[in-house]
Amino acid sequence: MSNYSVAMEAAWLVRDVEETDDAIGVAVSEAGKRLNETDKQYVEVEPGVTGCPACGEPFDAAFLAANTALVGLLLEIDVFNADSAEHAERIAKSEVGGALRDVPLEVIEIIETESDDEDDANGDGGR
C-alpha cells in the first residue's frame, strides 16, 4: 500500500461578478465552504493557473463574460494506503466529487509520497 498526493482541476461557475479577481475569491470561498460542510477540510483549494497560448507564461485560470466567470480551481488531497495510482485517483474523485456535486473534476497529477511504514514498525504510531 502506498500514499499519494492527487491534484485535480475543477471548473467553478461564478455569477454576478465584474472582475476576475472577485470571481476567483468567490470560487475559492464557495468551494472551501462546501468542502468544510462535508468534513473535507483536508482538501487544499487554490486558484488554478493556465499557460498563455502565445508566450506560455502562467496566469489565473478565469474567464469573465457578461458578469459570469468560469474559474479553474486546483484541488489537492493526500490519499493514504491506496493499492495503486489508479486506486488513489478513484478515492480522490469520490471524496472530492461527493462534496462538490455537479462540479467537473479532472485529475491532472498523481504523485506517490513517502510512507510512514518505518515509523509504524517501531510501534510508536509515527511519533
Side-chain angles (χ1 to χ4, degrees):
M1 298 270 215
S2 299
N3 300 333
Y4 296 89
S5 177
V6 181
M8 292 175 280
E9 185 176 50
W12 200 274
L13 192 63
V14 180
R15 298 180 190 282
D16 299 322
V17 290
E18 294 181 9
E19 296 187 20
T20 56
D21 287 342
D22 293 339
I24 291 168
V26 169
V28 170
S29 177
E30 287 179 355
K33 181 180 176 186
R34 284 178 55 184
L35 288 162
N36 288 340
E37 287 173 350
T38 56
D39 294 326
K40 306 278 189 288
Q41 297 89 342
Y42 47 85
V43 178
E44 294 183 37
V45 181
E46 298 176 10
V49 294
T50 191
C52 173
C55 66
E57 287 293 314
F59 62 93
D60 292 332
F63 177 75
L64 181 66
N67 291 338
T68 302
L70 178 62
V71 179
L73 296 177
L74 176 64
L75 308 171
E76 293 185 37
I77 182 172
D78 292 326
V79 177
F80 302 99
N81 299 322
D83 295 330
S84 65
E86 293 78 19
H87 185 221
E89 178 179 347
R90 287 193 307 272
I91 292 169
K93 280 185 165 182
S94 175
E95 287 288 310
V96 175
L100 303 180
R101 297 211 182 275
D102 301 322
V103 175
L105 296 174
E106 180 180 336
V107 173
I108 55 174
E109 186 175 45
I110 302 172
I111 299 172
E112 188 170 357
T113 58
E114 292 291 319
S115 174
D116 291 337
D117 290 341
E118 299 84 26
D119 293 334
D120 292 339
N122 296 332
D124 63 0
R127 284 178 243 157

